[in-house]
Amino acid sequence: MTENLTPDNEHSLQTLIRAITLSQGQFSLILLRCNYADLRRHITQRLRQISPVNIHEITLPASAKTLYASIAEQLGDTQPPALMVFGLENVKDIDTMLTAANRVREEFSSNFPFPILLWVNDLVLQKFIRLATDLENWSTIIEFENSTHELITFLQQQTEAIFTGDVALNPQTCWELERAIQDLQSRGENLAPSLQANLEFVRGLHNYLDDKIDAAIEHYQQSLSFWQQSENLERQGILLAHIALVYDRHAVINQTENQRYWQSAQDYLQQALDILEQAEYLNLVAQYINQLGEILKNLKDWAELEKLANKSLVLQREYGTPLQVAQAYGFLAEVAVENLRWNEANQLVQQALQILFSIPDILPHTYSWYRLILAQAQQGLGDVAAAIHSLETARESSNHQYNPQLYIAILENLRSLYFEQGEYLKAFNFKQEQLQIEQQYGFRAFVGASYLNPQRKVINPYVAQVMEDPSPNLSPARREALNIPLSLTGKRRLDQVINSGRLQVDNTGAIAQEIAASGREIDVNRLRERISRNDYKLTIIHGQSGVGKSSILQAGLIPALQQQPVGERDALPILTRVYTDWLTVLGQRLSEEFEAVRGNKLTANLDSVTAIQSQLQKNADRNLLTVLIFDQFEEFFFVYPDKAQRRDFYEFLRVCLDIPFMKVVLSLREDYLHYLLELERLFNLGVINNNILDKSIRYYLGNFSPDDTKAFIQSLTQSTQFYLEPQLIEQLVSDLAGELGEVRPIELQIVGAQLQTDCITTLEQYRQVGTKEKLVERFL
C-alpha cells in the first residue's frame, strides 16, 4: 500500500488522469514538475494503480543526446496509449538535447500520436522554457510538491544515510537537498544545528567528487567544528577521515606536490583512527585503516606500513570484508618485496590472491596490484618467465582509469624485463604505451613517437569503491540510491552506474590539451563541420609523415564527435588502422562502438560485407550518424599490393558512400594520394562527382610554425608542471625548425619526451647533450 497523497498532489494526479484520457489517439506533451525522486516514485506508483489506460515507461540514459531519437529508439514499433519518460534530470548534455528537441518538434506531433509525460525538476523546466520555447508552448505543466514535514524528514534521512555511508551521494541527490533547503526557507522554517552540520558534510563530499579541493575542505571543517563542540567522537573521526581523502585526491591531481599532500592526508587519517579507536568504534577503524596503508605506500614508509598492515589484518578478520583482508596481506607482501624478502613476498601475495579468488564477481582490475607484487617476487626468485606472465595478466585485467600509476608501473616492469631478455621491439612498444598513458592523464608533456589520445581523469576513489564493492557488501539502500537492480554485479554494475548518470564517471575522454595548445583545435572544428554537412560524404586528410594526422583523429575529432550530437543525430565514429583483415576488424569495432553509444549489444554477427552494410543502414534508421575513419590508410596498399586484392574494399567503400547518414574519412600520407585514383577508375562515384582528389574533398595538415611551436611547448609544460627555461625553448624551436622554418610535430614530441625523461630543463643542460639528433638517438 502506498501512503496517502496530500490534497494538492491528489488534485494534480486527478488532473493528470483527465489529461491522459482526453489526449488518447493524439500527441500531447505534459510536463510533470517534481523536484524529489521519492515523491516522483510515490506519484508513479499511485498513477499505475488508478490510470484507466496503460502507460508505457522509459528511462533516458545519462549519455542521451537527442530526446526524439531516444524515445523512438526505445519504443521501436510500439505505439502505446501513453508514454512516461524518466531521467531528464540525469542527462549530461541536457542543453543540447532540449535545443535539438525544439528543432524537430514537428516530428513529435507527426510520429507520436499519444500523450507524452516528461518528469522535470525546476532546473530542467527552466532550461526547457529557455531552450525549447516552442515545444514548451505546446505543453501542459502539472505540479507535485512535498509538504513541510516531508521535506524535513527527507533532509534528515538523506543526510544521515550519506554520512553513515548507507547511501552513495550523486549529483541529483545534492540538487534535491539544496532545493529542499530553499523550499523550507521560503516557508519560514529554520534548520536544526545538527542537520546543518550534516548538510555541510554532504556539501563537502559533493565538492570532493567534483575535485573542488578547497571548497570540500572548507565544508568538512565547518561540519567538524560542530561535532567537536558536541563531543561526538564518531562524527569527528568520520570527518577527519574524509578530510584525509580530500588531501589524498589532491596528491593524485597535483603530481609535483603529491608528497606534501600525502603527508597531510596521513596526519588527518591518523587523527581519525586515534579518535575512533579511543571511542571503541573498531568497525570504523577497520573501514579506514587500509586507506592509511595506501598513503604510507605512496610515501614509501615501509616500516610504518608493515606495523599498520599487521594491525589491519587482526581488525579485518573480525570487522572487515575479505577484500580488506586481502589488501592487508598485499601491504605485507609489498613490504617484503621492498626488503628483498622474495619467498615471504611470494607466500603473502599468494594468500591475498586466494582470498580474492573466493570473492564472487569481483572486478578484474582488482587483481592487478597483487599480480604486480607477485611478478616482482617471481623476478626476485629468478623465474623471469613467470614474472612476465604475471605482468601480462595484470596488464590485461587492468583499467588504467582507476589507477594510472599502477598501470604505468606494470608497463615499466614489462618494458624492463623484455629489454633484459633482448626483445627490444616489445620493450619499445611498452615504452610507447607508457608514454601514451602518461600523456592522457597529464603526467607528461610530450608523448614521443606515438599518436595522442583523448584526455582522461582518474576515477574518484569514492566512485571506485562502489564499483569494486562485491554484491554481498553493497547494501539495498545503496543499490536503490544508485538505481542498480539487485541482480547486477561486477562489470554489469559498472555499466549500469555509468549509464544511469547517478555517479559522475568520465568514460569517454575529452579533446587532448595538446590539440588546443598546438592550434589544431580549429582543424578539429573544421573537420567536424564537414562531417555535419550533407555535401561532404568523403573527407581525405593528407599530409607528410609525422604531421599529426593520427593524433588529430584519435585525440581531437573522435572525442569532438562523441561529446555532442551532429544535428539531431548521435555520431558513431569507427576508427580502423589495421588492414590485414580489415573486414573482421571493422565488424568488431562497429559492434564495440555501437554498444558503447547505445548501451546494448548487437544481436547479429558483423562478419561479412553484407552484415556490416546492413548494420550501417540500420544505424541510419536509428538516428545515428556513422563515421568510418580509416587512418594510416597507406598501410592498406602495403598489405594489398595487387590491385585485384583491393577491389573488394573499393566496392565496399562505394556502397558505403551511398548509404544515408554515413560518412567516410580516409587519412594517409600525401605521397600515396595518387593510389586513390584507381578507385575512381574502377567504379562510378557519382556521390562525389567522380573526382576523388577534388580540392573540396581533401583536407591538408602541415607542420607547425615556430611561433605556434613556442606557444605549444609553453602551454604543455605549464599544465604538466615540467617547466622549461625560456632560452631553452627558443633554442629548441630554432633547432627543430632548421632551414625550412617549420617544425615536424613528431620530432618535437620525440625530443620533448627525451628532455622530460632526462629532466633537461635549462639551455646549459641541453647544450651538454649536444644536439637534438642526440636526443632522438637516445629516445630510440
Side-chain angles (χ1 to χ4, degrees):
M1 290 291 292
T2 58
E3 300 174 7
N4 292 329
L5 297 176
T6 63
D8 286 345
N9 286 337
E10 186 65 48
H11 179 266
S12 294
L13 186 59
Q14 294 302 323
T15 301
L16 175 58
I17 294 291
R18 286 195 299 273
I20 294 171
T21 305
L22 293 172
S23 299
Q24 288 302 289
Q26 58 184 321
F27 171 73
S28 68
L29 181 62
I30 304 170
L31 302 181
L32 306 179
R33 175 187 170 271
C34 177
N35 287 319
Y36 305 100
D38 282 342
L39 178 58
R40 183 170 62 239
R41 282 192 291 269
H42 192 179
I43 297 295
T44 301
Q45 282 182 309
R46 188 90 172 92
L47 184 59
R48 290 176 187 139
Q49 292 174 347
I50 67 175
S51 173
V53 301
N54 179 51
I55 302 176
H56 189 88
E57 298 177 12
I58 66 171
T59 300
L60 300 174
S63 59
K65 296 183 178 68
T66 52
L67 181 60
Y68 174 80
S70 297
I71 293 174
E73 172 79 14
Q74 293 200 46
L75 284 183
D77 296 329
T78 304
Q79 293 278 305
L83 174 69
M84 185 154 55
V85 181
F86 300 90
L88 267 174
E89 71 281 359
N90 291 322
V91 171
K92 293 176 182 176
D93 195 359
I94 186 66
D95 289 16
T96 299
M97 169 178 278
L98 294 176
T99 301
N102 200 56
R103 284 200 299 265
V104 297
R105 58 191 176 279
E106 298 294 341
E107 297 293 327
F108 285 89
S109 60
S110 300
N111 298 311
F112 298 147
F114 45 81
I116 295 179
L117 287 58
L118 294 181
W119 285 102
V120 296
N121 60 24
D122 280 356
L123 182 62
V124 174
L125 182 59
Q126 289 166 11
K127 288 177 178 288
F128 217 112
I129 293 169
R130 180 167 55 87
L131 300 172
T133 307
D134 299 316
L135 190 59
E136 189 271 334
N137 285 338
W138 291 358
S139 71
T140 299
I141 300 175
I142 298 177
E143 299 184 355
F144 298 95
E145 291 188 339
N146 274 328
S147 66
T148 299
H149 172 72
E150 288 169 336
L151 288 175
I152 293 173
T153 302
F154 165 72
L155 282 172
Q156 291 171 336
Q157 291 178 347
Q158 284 292 314
T159 57
E160 187 70 20
I162 292 167
F163 207 124
T164 57
D166 290 330
V167 170
L169 185 64
N170 61 70
Q172 180 57 26
T173 302
C174 289
W175 186 89
E176 289 186 17
L177 290 170
E178 296 294 348
R179 184 69 223 183
I181 294 168
Q182 293 175 25
D183 286 349
L184 287 172
Q185 288 174 340
S186 69
R187 300 174 192 181
E189 296 289 331
N190 295 317
L191 301 180
S194 59
L195 179 54
Q196 186 65 50
N198 277 356
L199 282 166
E200 289 300 327
F201 171 83
V202 172
R203 287 167 176 153
L205 181 55
H206 187 207
N207 281 295
Y208 164 67
L209 291 174
D210 282 345
D211 289 335
K212 297 175 180 175
I213 302 299
D214 293 339
I217 291 173
E218 182 181 349
H219 286 297
Y220 279 153
Q221 291 285 7
Q222 288 179 16
S223 182
L224 177 62
S225 178
F226 172 82
W227 295 116
Q228 285 174 332
Q229 292 172 19
S230 63
E231 299 183 354
N232 186 316
L233 296 180
E234 179 189 18
R235 294 291 160 107
Q236 289 178 44
I238 291 172
L239 275 156
L240 288 166
H242 276 270
I243 292 172
L245 292 180
V246 177
Y247 280 107
D248 182 46
R249 181 66 175 172
H250 204 2
V252 171
I253 295 169
N254 191 328
Q255 291 289 309
T256 57
E257 298 186 69
N258 55 20
Q259 294 297 306
R260 178 162 69 91
Y261 295 126
W262 275 323
Q263 189 62 60
S264 296
Q266 179 189 1
D267 294 343
Y268 275 104
L269 204 43
Q270 190 62 62
Q271 288 181 58
L273 293 175
D274 291 345
I275 288 173
L276 292 170
E277 193 167 8
Q278 173 192 339
E280 298 185 348
Y281 290 108
L282 297 185
N283 60 321
L284 291 176
V285 175
Q287 180 179 332
Y288 293 120
I289 192 170
N290 281 2
Q291 292 172 356
L292 180 55
E294 287 290 341
I295 292 165
L296 292 172
K297 180 162 70 81
N298 291 329
L299 290 170
K300 303 188 186 304
D301 191 342
W302 306 117
E304 284 300 313
L305 179 59
E306 187 168 24
K307 292 179 191 174
L308 178 135
N310 282 308
K311 181 177 181 179
S312 175
L313 204 52
V314 175
L315 284 165
Q316 305 305 348
R317 285 170 175 157
E318 184 170 356
Y319 299 102
T321 66
L323 189 61
Q324 290 169 316
V325 175
Q327 191 177 18
Y329 276 118
F331 290 144
L332 290 171
E334 184 148 17
V335 171
V337 165
E338 292 299 325
N339 288 291
L340 310 183
R341 304 195 300 259
W342 308 118
N343 279 312
E344 182 185 346
N346 185 57
Q347 292 170 5
L348 287 165
V349 77
Q350 293 284 9
Q351 283 181 276
L353 285 166
Q354 287 303 314
I355 294 170
L356 293 180
F357 293 148
S358 70
I359 301 174
D361 206 48
I362 197 168
L363 286 172
H365 75 85
T366 310
Y367 294 100
S368 301
W369 173 53
Y370 302 91
R371 285 178 171 141
L372 171 60
I373 297 172
L374 176 62
Q376 291 169 330
Q378 290 166 331
Q379 183 183 0
L381 292 169
D383 195 345
V384 175
I388 289 175
H389 175 73
S390 295
L391 288 168
E392 291 281 14
T393 306
R395 175 175 168 268
E396 289 170 7
S397 64
S398 289
N399 181 337
H400 51 74
Q401 205 169 352
Y402 285 92
N403 190 338
Q405 297 288 15
L406 171 62
Y407 191 76
I408 288 166
I410 293 168
L411 294 176
E412 174 58 30
N413 278 264
L414 276 169
R415 185 203 64 77
S416 176
L417 285 177
Y418 276 123
F419 190 87
E420 290 173 7
Q421 298 300 302
E423 297 194 49
Y424 301 121
L425 180 59
K426 284 186 177 179
F428 179 76
N429 288 337
F430 281 121
K431 178 180 179 179
Q432 286 298 95
E433 186 180 358
Q434 180 182 339
L435 293 175
Q436 285 185 323
I437 297 297
E438 290 173 349
Q439 170 265 319
Q440 268 195 294
Y441 291 94
F443 304 154
R444 171 172 288 275
F446 301 97
V447 75
S450 188
Y451 50 80
L452 300 173
N453 280 294
Q455 218 70 44
R456 286 193 179 275
K457 287 179 66 176
V458 184
I459 289 177
N460 190 292
Y462 180 86
V463 179
Q465 183 184 359
V466 175
M467 309 300 189
E468 293 173 356
D469 199 358
S471 56
N473 301 321
L474 196 60
S475 69
R478 204 167 189 190
R479 283 179 172 276
E480 183 179 0
L482 291 169
N483 194 26
I484 304 172
L486 287 171
S487 60
L488 289 191
T489 53
K491 174 64 167 64
R492 292 176 66 208
R493 180 196 306 150
L494 169 62
D495 295 338
Q496 176 79 18
V497 171
I498 291 172
N499 203 40
S500 71
R502 303 301 293 271
L503 283 176
Q504 295 174 329
V505 180
D506 170 20
N507 202 40
T508 56
I511 295 174
Q513 61 178 344
E514 292 87 346
I515 297 295
S518 65
R520 287 275 162 91
E521 195 166 16
I522 189 169
D523 293 301
V524 171
N525 293 336
R526 286 170 179 166
L527 288 167
R528 193 182 186 283
E529 170 66 19
R530 288 172 67 99
I531 286 170
S532 70
R533 289 175 51 175
N534 294 330
D535 53 337
Y536 284 104
K537 290 289 289 184
L538 173 67
T539 296
I540 299 173
I541 299 173
H542 63 98
Q544 297 175 8
S545 176
V547 297
K549 298 183 294 296
S550 294
S551 291
I552 203 169
L553 292 172
Q554 179 95 6
L557 180 61
I558 290 175
L561 290 171
Q562 291 171 334
Q563 286 171 0
Q564 285 190 329
V566 179
E568 281 75 46
R569 292 177 173 266
D570 290 341
L572 187 69
I574 311 296
L575 177 66
T576 302
R577 288 196 180 100
V578 178
Y579 300 101
T580 48
D581 186 7
W582 65 267
L583 190 65
T584 301
V585 171
L586 183 59
Q588 290 173 346
R589 295 288 297 121
L590 183 55
S591 296
E592 291 166 359
E593 291 303 320
F594 182 88
E595 182 180 357
V597 170
R598 286 299 162 92
N600 55 293
K601 292 186 177 181
L602 295 172
T603 54
N605 291 323
L606 304 183
D607 52 6
S608 68
V609 169
T610 302
I612 290 175
Q613 289 175 341
S614 174
Q615 182 59 45
L616 294 173
Q617 182 62 62
K618 290 176 182 176
N619 286 356
D621 298 337
R622 289 169 171 164
N623 220 57
L624 289 171
L625 175 71
T626 309
V627 185
L628 297 185
I629 302 172
F630 298 97
D631 188 26
Q632 300 176 3
F633 192 61
E634 63 272 8
E635 295 293 327
F636 175 78
F637 302 106
F638 286 111
V639 175
Y640 302 104
D642 184 5
K643 186 186 298 185
Q645 295 176 306
R646 301 196 284 261
R647 191 179 183 94
D648 287 345
F649 180 85
Y650 290 156
E651 170 63 17
F652 170 79
L653 205 61
R654 182 194 66 80
V655 174
C656 286
L657 290 172
D658 288 330
I659 296 174
F661 303 105
M662 165 83 239
K663 301 300 177 76
V664 175
V665 176
L666 302 177
S667 176
L668 73 167
R669 281 166 31 192
E670 61 184 10
D671 50 328
Y672 278 80
L673 278 174
H674 65 280
Y675 277 84
L676 299 177
L677 292 172
E678 66 185 18
L679 172 58
E680 185 180 294
R681 289 194 295 268
L682 288 170
F683 296 100
N684 178 23
L685 301 176
V687 71
I688 58 170
N689 298 318
N690 289 304
N691 191 357
I692 197 167
L693 295 184
D694 188 87
K695 189 176 181 180
S696 65
I697 292 174
R698 291 185 287 112
Y699 192 93
Y700 173 73
L701 277 184
N703 292 320
F704 293 160
S705 71
D707 287 343
D708 286 345
T709 305
K710 291 174 190 175
F712 175 73
I713 294 172
Q714 289 165 350
S715 176
L716 280 194
T717 53
Q718 285 173 7
S719 63
T720 56
Q721 288 92 44
F722 174 59
Y723 300 107
L724 298 183
E725 190 179 69
Q727 295 91 327
L728 171 57
I729 295 176
E730 287 286 342
Q731 186 63 52
L732 184 62
V733 172
S734 176
D735 289 351
L736 289 168
E739 295 180 0
L740 291 176
E742 292 182 342
V743 176
R744 294 182 67 211
I746 191 169
E747 195 172 26
L748 169 61
Q749 289 289 351
I750 289 173
V751 171
Q754 196 59 40
L755 286 176
Q756 191 162 5
T757 299
D758 293 343
C759 297
I760 296 172
T761 59
T762 68
L763 180 58
E764 182 180 353
Q765 292 171 324
Y766 175 66
R767 284 174 173 163
Q768 289 172 358
V769 173
T771 63
K772 67 178 177 66
E773 286 78 15
K774 291 283 188 183
L775 287 170
V776 173
E777 287 175 16
R778 289 168 67 166
F779 178 86
L780 298 174

